[in-house]
Amino acid sequence: MSGIVPTIPTEFQQYNSYVTDPAWQRKFSIVWASFTGFAILLALPRFLRAVRRGQVSGTLFGISEDLGAKGYRPAVMEDRMPTPTRRWRLVNGVVRSAAAALLWTIPKSEISLGQILVIAGYLATILVCIIKDAPLVENPNRAGFLAIAQLPVVFLFATKNSILSLLLGPGNGYEKLNYIHKWSGRGAFLGALIHGALWIRNHIEFDLPILGQQKETSGVAAFALLCILVLTSLRPVRRYCYQVFFYVHILSSISFFITLCYHTIYATPWIFPPLAFYGLDLLLRLLRYRIKDATVVPVSNDMTLINVNDCDGGWTPGQHVRLRVFFSDRVFESHPLTIACAPPSTSCLSTPGLILGARAVGDWSHALHAYARRGLERIALSDQKSLSVPVQVMLDGPYGGCSVDLGAYESALLVAGGSGVTFSLAVLDDIVGRCCRLGRRGGEKTRRIEFAWCVRSFGCIEWFAPQLIEVAKTCAGTSLDLHVSIFVTCLCNPEAVPDIPNSDVSIHRPAVHTLLQELVTPPSSTSSLSDEESSEKVDLKGKLNWVGLGGGVAVCAAGPETMTREAQNAVARISATRGVQLGGVSLHTELFAL
């Protein structure tokens, strides 16, 4: 009998929060880390392809300059059209069609069905870990422990230079993962709310002071700071008072960490991972900062082109940089701008370097446009012949990118709205360069491209007309068909329409679904179109050669939220009905909003 250790019956055991609750923190961490690892495993083929193409090094080390280059050598114009393979088309069509169903987006929302499933799974995991076998009313510590355990998630999906973005492959930058950052922050707020509200209830019930002791006072302060973080992160604040959101976010985060450490010693281990993620972000930014000479050119009344010199590589089509222009009193402001061209090794454009476009819609972009105009006036008074104003800029990046490789699809639809054309133009420049200038060295299958651009006025076409003309001329006489459709919503200054080869300018804006339906419908077939779609039909017959079905369709949409949401629903809709027949429909969207 002496070797038997007495145990307390389960019904008489007292709940020990400081032993049991940290175990649930670990369980929660295992769950989210496992799902993240599974996502990385699924993205492994894409990551390996990016490594083979040299895209990963640019992501790590930023924009590069080839100091040993002696000018730009023209590429050999070969046009080897590969014979499309049919072996895996059925499998690819089924997989891509199933994935496209997750693209459906709730009306008046930027959240897709796939994102809803991720958010729902995340919140359900939090609630299970908080509620399971926990006497929350008597001891609400579990909710506080789970709130703290979410801090690594909040920071992992917030940093711009995240190892996770790198492993998930091109097109999965911080801007695509940021929705998890937002909802994990709200999940932490939910845990803190349950924890704080129930503790306050217990203090009131037993007539204990809510403020006074360090633990209670620091806890209330930490929760107040978390409330400020959540409220100032709401979409209206971000969109209309971005500078307020930015500075409050930084200062409140620092203050929250300090007060949280005063509140509980159990918070310290969970603060080190966020600090490590943020430290890595700062380190990679330092490695990728570039100060370059550039020129700014005011185009029309509301667009400024920035041409950055001595940039030969280090970015992929569709990526963006955070640009800081050293002019006037705007030295400390940086803004994200999409690179409007492919790297010179691939690009069809005659002007080397890196091209950015800043539309004058805010204080900074208006000031930059005015600075460029004043600079041109000064140059004109000095009898110089230059049409651009020299400036110095700082580049931070590149970030983001396109998750769809157009070279893997026979047909492509590029849809842009307004200044979103910078993304679409870069992707177009890249695929045309790979197919026509480089002779399809990577086995590119692309045979037809519909480039659709929606603008408010005819004068907007002038923004990137020279670049579009160069790209269109490169396609002429090759096995790659390109058709440019420009849709204008304002009847003003029609004389400003430039002569772009194989292009049409229309005074209406068709639905993205109509454009996609036209692209994948044989010229002689109209039965698949509804009466409503037929009434706004965009006739591509004779403008793009029909290549048959089964080669896959790539859709890239960049612009305002209404357009990207419309593109998501269009792809989800057509994939559900004809996805397997088409060989799969893939989509990448680039949202121009905060």
Side-chain angles (χ1 to χ4, degrees):
M1 296 293 292
S2 61
I4 300 177
V5 179
T7 58
I8 302 174
T10 304
E11 60 271 19
F12 296 111
Q13 291 180 7
Q14 187 175 4
Y15 181 81
N16 191 338
S17 171
Y18 298 105
V19 173
T20 305
D21 293 344
W24 283 97
Q25 285 182 308
R26 293 188 290 271
K27 291 178 183 179
F28 167 75
S29 300
I30 291 172
V31 171
W32 76 257
S34 299
F35 276 97
T36 303
F38 180 68
I40 292 174
L41 185 63
L42 291 179
L44 186 59
R46 181 188 300 171
F47 173 73
L48 295 178
R49 286 196 298 267
V51 172
R52 287 197 299 269
R53 293 172 182 168
Q55 297 175 341
V56 174
S57 59
T59 300
L60 285 174
F61 302 110
I63 305 298
S64 62
E65 176 183 353
D66 186 3
L67 298 176
K70 300 181 185 299
Y72 292 90
R73 297 179 293 275
V76 178
M77 293 290 291
E78 300 178 5
D79 195 17
R80 306 187 304 270
M81 181 63 210
T83 302
T85 177
R86 302 281 174 174
R87 179 187 297 179
W88 298 106
R89 283 187 172 180
L90 179 60
V91 177
N92 288 338
V94 172
V95 173
R96 290 169 179 165
S97 297
L102 301 176
L103 297 173
W104 182 81
T105 307
I106 299 176
K108 297 184 179 181
S109 170
E110 59 182 8
I111 301 178
S112 66
L113 177 60
Q115 292 174 332
I116 291 174
L117 294 178
V118 172
I119 294 168
Y122 182 86
L123 295 179
T125 303
I126 294 171
L127 291 175
V128 168
C129 291
I130 290 177
I131 297 171
K132 181 68 174 176
D133 300 329
L136 282 179
V137 177
E138 295 82 9
N139 190 337
N141 276 353
R142 175 83 65 83
F145 275 101
L146 264 297
I148 295 172
Q150 296 179 73
L151 293 179
V153 188
V154 173
F155 276 75
L156 176 62
F157 288 91
T159 53
K160 291 181 171 57
N161 295 284
S162 169
I163 189 66
L164 183 59
S165 297
L166 178 68
L167 295 176
L168 290 177
N172 290 284
Y174 71 93
E175 73 284 358
K176 294 295 183 182
L177 302 175
N178 192 255
Y179 78 97
I180 301 180
H181 161 69
K182 296 175 186 176
W183 283 97
S184 59
R186 292 162 186 167
F189 174 75
L190 175 63
L193 178 62
I194 296 173
H195 171 70
L198 291 178
W199 265 121
I200 291 175
R201 171 205 171 273
N202 291 343
H203 277 59
I204 294 175
E205 181 180 353
F206 295 103
D207 197 24
L208 298 174
I210 297 174
L211 297 176
Q213 297 293 328
Q214 175 182 309
K215 188 174 185 64
E216 284 79 0
T217 303
S218 58
V220 171
F223 181 69
L225 289 167
L226 192 57
C227 289
I228 293 173
L229 280 168
V230 172
L231 292 175
T232 56
S233 298
L234 295 177
R235 190 173 177 184
V237 180
R238 297 197 317 269
R239 175 164 293 185
Y240 300 110
C241 306
Y242 180 79
Q243 294 299 325
V244 173
F245 154 75
F246 178 78
Y247 290 114
V248 169
H249 215 64
I250 297 297
L251 297 175
S252 297
S253 298
I254 297 172
S255 304
F256 173 72
F257 272 26
I258 294 173
T259 54
L260 188 62
C261 289
Y262 274 102
H263 177 60
T264 174
I265 60 174
Y266 291 92
T268 305
W270 296 93
I271 288 177
F272 289 126
L275 293 179
F277 295 145
Y278 189 63
L280 177 63
D281 180 36
L282 293 179
L283 176 62
L284 289 177
R285 285 197 193 191
L286 290 175
L287 292 176
R288 287 140 58 99
Y289 277 133
R290 300 288 186 271
I291 296 180
K292 295 282 188 179
D293 292 324
T295 57
V296 292
V297 182
V299 182
S300 71
N301 294 322
D302 54 359
M303 175 61 70
T304 308
L305 294 185
I306 303 103
N307 296 275
V308 187
N309 306 327
D310 302 323
C311 296
D312 303 314
W315 77 91
T316 59
Q319 288 191 306
H320 67 272
V321 294
R322 296 195 66 86
L323 178 74
R324 191 188 307 268
V325 182
F326 300 115
F327 76 103
S328 303
D329 57 346
R330 304 278 180 167
V331 176
F332 298 104
E333 291 189 52
S334 65
H335 295 263
L337 296 176
T338 302
I339 303 171
C341 61
S345 59
T346 307
S347 177
C348 306
L349 307 182
S350 58
T351 303
L354 185 148
I355 302 173
L356 303 169
R359 185 179 178 185
V361 292
D363 293 341
W364 178 84
S365 51
H366 273 295
L368 179 64
H369 190 77
Y371 176 82
R373 284 197 173 279
R374 290 195 301 269
L376 282 185
E377 292 173 0
R378 289 194 299 268
I379 291 174
L381 292 176
S382 62
D383 295 331
Q384 298 181 26
K385 297 182 179 180
S386 176
L387 298 178
S388 58
V389 180
V391 293
Q392 275 199 321
V393 300
M394 175 183 284
L395 302 177
D396 173 17
Y399 299 108
C402 185
S403 60
V404 177
D405 178 13
L406 268 60
Y409 304 84
E410 289 188 356
S411 301
L413 172 63
L414 305 180
V415 185
S419 58
V421 71
T422 52
F423 175 90
S424 301
L425 181 58
V427 174
L428 177 67
D429 185 23
D430 173 72
I431 190 60
V432 172
R434 287 158 56 191
C435 292
C436 302
R437 287 191 65 235
L438 305 184
R440 303 180 185 268
R441 289 194 305 216
E444 287 80 7
K445 300 191 307 180
T446 312
R447 302 171 68 182
R448 57 207 296 264
I449 302 173
E450 171 66 17
F451 185 92
W453 184 18
C454 302
V455 292
R456 292 184 177 180
S457 66
F458 289 96
C460 297
I461 306 174
E462 181 187 353
W463 295 349
F464 295 99
Q467 290 83 358
L468 278 173
I469 291 172
E470 285 192 82
V471 173
K473 287 182 176 179
T474 304
C475 284
T478 70
S479 62
L480 179 64
D481 286 337
L482 169 66
H483 179 254
V484 177
S485 296
I486 300 176
F487 304 101
V488 183
T489 58
C490 174
L491 300 176
C492 48
N493 193 19
E495 295 80 11
V497 179
D499 184 17
I500 302 173
N502 198 21
S503 68
D504 293 301
V505 179
S506 306
I507 309 174
H508 73 290
R509 181 194 180 283
V512 177
H513 175 72
T514 303
L515 293 171
L516 181 57
Q517 188 72 41
E518 282 290 334
L519 182 67
V520 300
T521 301
S524 59
S525 174
T526 58
S527 59
S528 61
L529 295 179
S530 65
D531 294 338
E532 180 182 353
E533 291 166 342
S534 298
S535 65
E536 60 172 359
K537 180 178 175 183
V538 183
D539 187 11
L540 302 180
K541 184 176 179 180
K543 300 169 184 175
L544 284 176
N545 292 328
W546 179 248
V547 297
L549 302 175
V553 181
V555 179
C556 295
E561 182 183 328
T562 53
M563 173 174 286
T564 56
R565 182 174 62 243
E566 187 181 330
Q568 288 179 283
N569 292 337
V571 170
R573 178 179 171 184
I574 204 166
S575 292
T577 56
R578 301 181 59 196
V580 177
Q581 179 188 22
L582 295 172
V585 184
S586 295
L587 171 72
H588 177 89
T589 59
E590 200 74 8
L591 178 62
F592 282 62
L594 293 175

